[in-house]
Amino acid sequence: MSGTTPRPPIVPTDAAGIAAGACALREGALVAMPTETVYGLAGDATNATAVARIFSAKGRPSFNPLIVHVADIAAAERIGVFDAQALKLAQAFWPGPLTVVLRRRAQSGIAELATAGLDTVALRVPSHATARALIAAAERPLAAPSANKSGRLSPTTAADVAADFGPEVALILDGGAAQHGLESTVVEVSLGNLVLLRPGAVTVEAIAELIGRPPLRAEHAPVRPSAPGQFLSHYAPDAAVRLDIHEVRPGEALLAFGPTPPYAGGPVFNLSPTGDLVEAAAQLFAGMRELDKKLRASGGVGPRTIAVMTIPEHGLGAAINDRLRRAAAPR
Ligand code: TXA
Ligand code: MG
């Protein structure tokens, strides 16, 4: 960024600052908030466009699932399915720097982009007073990765955040230096297992003391990420995917982009008729699911295929294409 880029305003965490932040969040804008771990780049987790803006602002080349921040256990239970072990962890460590990954409820209201199409969701109740006040005032769950550009260090002060962003962030709430300076510990609770996905501010020893045994390492877990940022269970359509198409073959569905899609005899979903990559990212998972469903319902013989128009590789296009290429890879 050049020295003349306008930086987001840094505002105090008083009532006026919280109200301004909540107002921005409700409008789908992004707010950097202090938490006890690191500063987070928060957006309305129920608004797919807001979530797409988070990925766009961070410049991530792929859609990683984000942590959803909520006010309390009751709010978390409306989004994820808690078993006895998950509840025990939440009661012991919330509010605080532990994130639990749980099966996501069908009616969770969380945008699919926030979980990158996974049927699980990462939840955390932060302890920082400002983060709590912001969640309460916004009256919605907040998706918030660390507030840094992709590949840069996690920010522990408002000035760190300001150094990385411009007008794509509405404001930065200045809550002073983050207490831990290290991200939350991420554990997945499923099938009775407890799996450590990311070491962090809550120690493995503290978890072991509570549960009676240490969490499994991710490489020993039955279901696990195949590599950092890649998940075996990421949503991929049932249908085959054909990329960079110029014409649609009989029986195919069309995932379109832009104002001039080619003729299609079957189902069409346009990710963004105006060619807006943020809108396209917001619609991506919903679009793949809808076309999959329509192809299944049409009950035709032979292989089902989604034909996908070319998506430009700049901005969020890189992350969209990353997801589409995985969906198109042989399975
Ligand atoms: O301390 C923190 O947790 C900070 C502050 C802002 O709260 N947030 C943060 O978020 O570090 P993020 O998005 O940078 O980290 C998300 C982590 C990643 O390691 C991701 O792979 C994992 O959580 N994760 C999120 N959803 C998941 C899911 N459904 N399954 C498995 N892992 C998931
Ligand atoms: Mg990070």
Side-chain angles (χ1 to χ4, degrees):
M1 247 178 222
S2 83
T4 56
T5 303
R7 299 297 172 188
I10 297 180
V11 307
T13 61
D14 55 13
I18 298 294
C23 181
L25 288 166
R26 284 162 169 278
E27 287 169 356
L30 306 185
V31 171
M33 66 172 179
T35 84
E36 70 278 21
T37 58
V38 298
Y39 275 70
L41 185 60
D44 178 354
T46 66
N47 177 340
T49 303
V51 176
R53 290 187 180 124
I54 294 175
F55 287 108
S56 175
K58 282 191 66 95
R60 270 191 185 170
S62 62
F63 297 126
N64 299 330
L66 305 177
I67 295 172
V68 175
H69 298 67
V70 292
D72 51 31
I73 294 179
E77 282 187 310
R78 289 195 286 275
I79 297 170
V81 181
F82 282 70
D83 63 8
Q85 188 170 243
L87 201 57
K88 193 169 176 179
L89 286 163
Q91 283 163 346
F93 294 111
W94 285 355
L98 181 77
T99 296
V100 294
V101 175
L102 303 169
R103 226 159 36 73
R104 129 199 186 130
R105 289 190 191 280
Q107 303 303 321
S108 70
I110 300 299
E112 249 191 289
L113 189 61
T115 62
L118 292 169
D119 52 15
T120 54
V121 59
L123 290 162
R124 145 165 148 78
V125 175
S127 63
H128 195 287
T130 300
R132 299 179 64 73
L134 189 64
I135 293 165
E139 297 182 291
R140 57 206 65 201
L142 301 181
S146 52
N148 53 281
K149 291 273 185 201
S150 182
R152 310 238 313 159
L153 286 178
S154 293
T156 56
T157 66
D160 290 346
V161 180
D164 262 12
F165 296 101
E168 67 274 27
V169 174
L171 59 94
I172 302 170
L173 286 164
D174 186 358
Q179 175 197 340
H180 293 286
L182 178 68
E183 275 95 343
S184 64
T185 303
V186 182
V187 293
E188 173 150 8
V189 188
S190 63
L191 310 166
N193 283 313
L194 181 61
V195 182
L196 180 70
L197 296 182
R198 180 178 76 182
V202 168
T203 64
V204 166
E205 288 80 3
I207 295 170
E209 197 182 353
L210 179 78
I211 300 295
R213 60 195 153 78
L216 292 171
R217 302 283 301 273
E219 55 268 35
H220 300 140
V223 180
R224 61 187 168 86
S226 54
Q230 295 176 21
F231 294 81
L232 293 174
S233 52
H234 255 151
Y235 181 75
D238 285 345
V241 172
R242 197 161 68 83
L243 299 178
D244 288 320
I245 62 95
H246 295 287
E247 53 199 27
V248 184
R249 298 173 186 159
E252 285 184 339
L254 173 63
L255 191 63
F257 177 80
T260 54
Y263 171 79
V268 178
F269 187 103
N270 198 328
L271 292 171
S272 173
T274 60
D276 176 341
L277 288 165
V278 172
E279 184 187 13
Q283 296 299 321
L284 180 62
F285 291 99
M288 287 197 286
R289 273 192 211 275
E290 183 178 312
L291 292 180
D292 232 0
K293 205 152 86 186
K294 287 189 170 160
L295 282 172
R296 241 181 277 129
S298 72
V301 290
R304 291 186 286 255
T305 302
I306 298 175
V308 185
M309 287 175 70
T310 301
I311 313 279
E313 187 65 24
H314 61 85
L316 271 182
I320 295 171
N321 284 324
D322 169 74
R323 166 74 17 234
L324 288 170
R325 276 192 289 268
R326 288 179 209 218
R331 304 170 227 146

